[in-house]
Amino acid sequence: MIPNDRLYAKSHEWVKVEGDTATFGITDFAQQQLGDLTYVELPSVGDTFAAGDEFGSVESVKAASELYAPVGGEVVEINESLEDAPEKVNADPYGEGWLVKVKTSGAPEGLLDAAGYQAAIESEGH
Amino acid sequence: MPYVPHTPDEVREMLAVIGAKSVGELFAEIKDEMRPKSFDLPEGRSEMEVLAHMERLAAKNANPEISFLGAGFYDHHIPAAVDALSSRGEFYTAYTPYQPEASQGTLQAIFEYQTAMSRLMGLECANASVYDGGTALYEALMMAVRQTKRRKVVVSESLNPIYRVMLRSYTTNLDLELVTVPHAEGNTNMDGLLAAMDGETAAVLVQNPNFFGSVNDFSALFSAAHEHKAVCVLLTYPVLQSVLKTPGEMGADVAVAEGQSLGLPLSFGGPYLGVMTCTRKMVRQLPGRVAGRTEDSEGRTGYVLTLQAREQHIRRQKATSNICSNQALCALRAIIHLSLLGEEGLRRTALLSMERAHYAAERLAAIPGVKMLTQGSFGNEFAVLLPVNAYEAVSRLLERNVVAGFPLGRYYEGLENGLLVACTEKTSEEQIGLFAEMLRGVLA
């Protein structure tokens, strides 16, 4: 199930906005495609980036993939528990497997809602 | 398939299949002005002629009876078994072991090599090696730059000048600032290094023993560097690591070395072995291959290449290095050599080499006009100041079949009279005595 309470990028990141704080993660579809994660590389608190910038990467036994920011802003918190337990992203991508919290510099643009994302991944041929 | 040139018949046959009339037509695409005018190759010669030619060339080499040349490369004894085992066809012809099902022997050898290097350096991780010590040092610098996302690197001038030239040449087109901290009369300038570091510093690069032979403890320097969140890189001499405080004990994040002294002959400069080790925290920045041990579905031990997500054959643009070829055969020699010596043998090698060097220092310093440049503790190498230009003294001793050492003036302005002298367990007391007397004669 794709949660309805957040927005999605075509590059398979999700963002949940509460006030001016946005939480990023990767979707259940993305974690399934990657397989068992072995490492999550996250930015540092205080780093800033624009929407679409690379903010980190995830490594699985198969490959490493970049993470792209669904909205711009400044990192206020990172999920430090992923350093020792990257498998949390596999187990609970929409919950405990969140990646970073960002103080946003603007409203999200050009993102998909749950239904739109569902359609997007179906059109990817799965 | 035999490795022989094609016969005219074979060439005709191949051209006929392709549909070209001549070899010239086959390469017609390449414009005339882009073709080499001449390869300037001599006519072919018979085997006997070639042998005679090679012997004439080889006879041009000075063949000194005694050598005190070191400067990062050392003439240690290599047990005959190292040659015998490493030249077995299974190892000698093995290619990159990507397929674990066909490469268990090579992978296990690499795994054992990594384990030995990690233990020697007191750090948690090692790769399967890189080209040589200088390449390892450059790769360590780049690990620090990636990790910290900073661009300033503090380099001690008492670090091997040959490697400093390599660093400059590798980084010349990168947006990096190399800050070289001058040596303090042949010693590592700790205060200068401390003063050069700040919050912009990606890494500090030092050597132990330093180029002049001095043994240092960099613990305090490294803890200061860590306060700036800089990465601490230590270049070491692996044989002496069996007796010295390890890089890990000093708090280094990355330790690198030229592995030549572990079972590789000097052979005019290569092939050599770049040793790279680091903390677990830095392992994802470590370039090159890492062999890991695992279990198959039936619980049997197996070896594989691991942590490959940043290897260049997977994501070229994100690779941690574009030169991560390893020196598997040289690494194999190193692990065989270490296995034969054992912990105690390596220690004995180090202690004997140091004893000889200390004896040599005593004998040389007793010559009127000769002064020790290296202060404090030193290992198997030390520097002296002669009353004359060191290059001149070296040339005169070479006429008597003795290589006195490495003249420092070649790389250090103001140290034209400086001579770097190295000993190994192969250096005998008689040789040292002879050298001291000859030098006394030359200087008289």
Side-chain angles (χ1 to χ4, degrees), chain B residues 160-372:
Chain B
N160 193 322
I162 301 164
Y163 294 162
R164 284 191 284 114
V165 171
M166 283 181 76
L167 287 183
R168 243 201 335 269
S169 115
Y170 272 154
T171 58
T172 216
N173 291 317
L174 302 178
D175 180 30
L176 294 177
E177 185 197 355
L178 298 189
V179 178
T180 304
V181 175
H183 68 89
E185 291 174 9
N187 292 287
T188 302
N189 185 349
M190 294 286 187
D191 293 340
L193 286 165
L194 281 169
M197 293 188 300
D198 56 30
E200 304 296 309
T201 307
V204 58
L205 272 52
V206 287
Q207 179 176 341
N208 191 45
N210 75 15
F211 187 66
F212 306 99
S214 295
V215 171
N216 288 116
D217 186 348
F218 290 108
S219 303
L221 181 81
F222 288 168
S223 89
H226 283 148
E227 276 172 34
H228 292 300
K229 295 196 175 3
V231 172
C232 302
V233 178
L234 186 56
L235 174 72
T236 68
Y237 172 25
V239 170
L240 289 199
Q241 283 313 308
S242 58
V243 289
L244 300 181
K245 192 167 178 178
T246 66
E249 285 166 333
M250 289 186 199
D253 302 289
V254 186
V256 295
E258 171 49 65
Q260 173 273 324
S261 53
L262 303 173
L264 293 163
L266 287 162
S267 64
F268 299 95
Y272 285 167
L273 173 68
V275 176
M276 286 199 84
T277 59
C278 69
T279 57
R280 197 185 176 90
K281 202 175 141 230
M282 299 272 307
V283 70
R284 278 167 208 278
Q285 302 297 344
L286 187 65
R289 307 188 177 109
V290 179
R293 187 168 68 189
T294 183
E295 278 181 4
D296 72 3
S297 57
E298 288 165 31
R300 294 173 302 194
T301 299
Y303 298 88
V304 290
L305 289 182
T306 187
L307 289 170
Q308 290 193 79
R310 281 155 213 276
E311 260 256 60
Q312 58 171 347
H313 62 273
I314 298 204
R315 292 197 314 169
R316 185 159 298 214
Q317 78 284 10
K318 288 282 172 184
T320 41
S321 171
N322 287 308
I323 42 169
C324 51
S325 287
N326 74 330
Q327 295 284 71
L329 194 64
C330 298
L332 175 73
R333 288 185 68 97
I335 185 60
I336 295 173
H337 185 81
L338 284 172
S339 309
L340 290 167
L341 291 181
E343 208 175 305
E344 189 48 37
L346 188 66
R347 221 176 146 72
R348 286 281 300 151
T349 305
L351 290 173
L352 267 174
S353 305
M354 287 168 67
E355 271 171 30
R356 301 288 151 84
H358 282 253
Y359 176 63
E362 207 177 288
R363 290 294 301 262
L364 296 189
I367 300 170
V370 177
K371 278 191 305 198
M372 284 293 287

Side-chain angles (χ1 to χ4, degrees), chain B residues 113-126 277:
Chain B
Y113 161 83
Q114 289 169 184
T115 307
M117 293 306 130
S118 300
R119 290 169 78 178
L120 207 51
M121 301 295 192
L123 288 168
E124 294 152 300
C125 309
T277 59

